[in-house]
Amino acid sequence: MGELQSGQVLYQAKNGPSIKVRKDGELRIVTIQANEYFIKNVGGESLNNYEVNYPNGHQYKVEDNSGFLLSFDQKGELVTEYGTLYVNGKPIIPGGAETPYSPSQLVTAAYPEYHTKQGSLFLLYLSFFFMILGWCSFRYRKFQDFQFLLSFHWLWVNDPEPSDFYYFMSKVGGVILMGAGVFFFVKSFFA
């Protein structure tokens, strides 16, 4: 995604054409391969209902039902949603469709509130927790002793002390936790 000028945004796709979205007052103009689609919010402030005009003159209405977009044609009939497939850089138009882009896909492209957000904040925090816990288990003997107390082994044994094997396994466990932290860190950006 890149900002072109004031009121214009360009979305680059890996497998398909780039999409340019331009604001013109209340109107949003979505340009895909020199075809311009005009989208207007006609629902007011409380409702998000959109009017989508195709380059060939056909008009559709798109209603937002709690974040789920439903498309209707000029007769008020529900339009079947479909995904866009590309073969050798050219879109495949499903049977009965006039364009490879459904009205709800165009509304999704035009309004950022419908874009899916990438990443997971929970996994990011979990990765930091695992890395800190792993580093403390690997590096600090006092933390290893504290973990030994948390194991409640001292309830069954008189004068309990951790063995050298326990300290070694604490270090191994710390390395494993840090590895899991790195894994969750990377995973948090793609979830």
Side-chain angles (χ1 to χ4, degrees):
M1 180 176 90
E3 186 79 24
L4 293 175
Q5 298 173 4
S6 177
Q8 290 187 3
V9 178
L10 179 68
Y11 297 101
Q12 292 288 108
K14 291 180 183 177
N15 300 333
S18 60
I19 300 171
K20 184 169 74 169
V21 178
R22 186 175 72 226
K23 287 184 194 178
D24 187 12
E26 292 183 17
L27 190 66
R28 306 259 174 137
I29 302 166
V30 177
T31 306
I32 305 171
Q33 293 178 333
N35 291 322
E36 289 188 335
Y37 304 89
F38 299 93
I39 302 165
K40 184 178 180 183
N41 187 344
V42 294
E45 293 178 18
S46 61
L47 293 173
N48 287 328
N49 292 329
Y50 304 95
E51 186 177 279
V52 180
N53 292 306
Y54 279 73
N56 60 6
H58 289 158
Q59 189 177 52
Y60 294 90
K61 289 194 176 191
V62 178
E63 292 180 4
D64 179 359
N65 292 323
S66 301
F68 186 73
L69 298 174
L70 295 175
S71 304
F72 299 94
D73 62 9
Q74 292 173 335
K75 298 175 189 173
E77 295 177 4
L78 185 65
V79 175
T80 306
E81 293 298 318
Y82 49 87
T84 305
L85 296 174
Y86 286 89
V87 175
N88 296 328
K90 298 196 182 231
I92 296 175
I93 300 174
E98 63 182 87
T99 177
Y101 312 106
S102 70
S104 63
Q105 287 176 326
L106 295 169
V107 170
T108 300
Y111 292 90
E113 56 264 22
Y114 296 113
H115 296 179
T116 56
K117 294 174 180 50
Q118 203 172 16
S120 170
L121 196 58
F122 172 74
L123 288 178
L124 182 66
Y125 289 144
L126 186 66
S127 70
F128 288 139
F129 175 74
F130 277 3
M131 285 192 255
I132 291 169
L133 185 65
W135 177 252
C136 290
S137 293
F138 177 78
R139 178 70 178 95
Y140 300 111
R141 186 164 181 138
K142 286 186 179 184
F143 189 78
Q144 294 168 352
D145 291 339
F146 175 71
Q147 284 180 315
F148 182 75
L149 286 176
L150 288 179
S151 70
F152 296 112
H153 187 69
W154 53 273
L155 289 175
W156 297 284
V157 178
N158 293 333
D159 297 328
E161 286 198 23
S163 64
D164 289 338
F165 181 71
Y166 171 80
Y167 289 121
F168 172 74
M169 289 309 293
S170 290
K171 290 182 182 290
V172 169
V175 169
I176 291 171
L177 280 173
M178 286 187 285
V182 170
F183 172 76
F184 284 126
F185 180 77
V186 172
K187 187 92 171 145
S188 71
F189 291 102
F190 301 107

